[in-house]
Amino acid sequence: MPLPQLNVHRHDHTTRTLITLAGEIDLATAPLVSAALAACMRDGIRIVDVDLTAVPFCDAGGLNAFLAAHRTATDAGTTLQLHCPPPTMARIIEITGSGFLLHDLHAVRAPSRRVPAAADGAP
């Protein structure tokens, strides 16, 4: 069985940083996320933006890592915001009432159930 892989890149700009994650976040890789976010707190970062564009999957272990980091960040006066979560993660965040983690609450919209009109304009 191959080892899970998650790439973590940190881009600092004074007291703000962008953490870019690429790969799956699960029970095996969530500690990497936790460590990266904890390092930001230790380094005095005041705003932490986490880009999830390249994360195809995040399980409950990953969500727990983000929730714990958010709690620690809030206690330290730091802002932690998740950006561009995959649709399944956005749905889990919505269901669990964890929308406060997201930079843009509108990113957690349910898929439209409206049936698109026919191309020729017929209903």
Side-chain angles (χ1 to χ4, degrees), residues 2-81:
L3 292 174
Q5 185 174 0
L6 178 69
N7 294 313
V8 180
H9 301 282
R10 180 174 161 179
H11 313 279
D12 290 348
H13 183 69
T14 60
T15 60
R16 184 175 196 145
T17 195
L18 172 65
I19 301 287
T20 303
L21 302 175
E24 295 186 357
I25 305 172
D26 56 24
L27 193 56
T29 60
L32 295 172
V33 174
S34 296
L37 297 173
C40 292
M41 306 304 150
R42 281 192 311 273
D43 295 344
I45 299 296
R46 305 306 295 164
I47 300 172
V48 180
D49 294 303
V50 181
D51 180 5
L52 299 168
T53 303
V55 175
F57 174 79
C58 180
D59 71 4
L63 181 58
N64 283 335
F66 289 121
L67 289 169
H70 183 271
R71 191 171 29 256
T72 301
T74 300
D75 291 347
T78 299
T79 301
L80 172 67
Q81 302 174 342

Side-chain angles (χ1 to χ4, degrees), residues 16 49 80-84 99-107:
R16 184 175 196 145
D49 294 303
L80 172 67
Q81 302 174 342
L82 305 183
H83 300 262
C84 305
F100 55 87
L101 289 171
L102 297 176
H103 169 67
D104 181 6
L105 291 177
H106 298 292

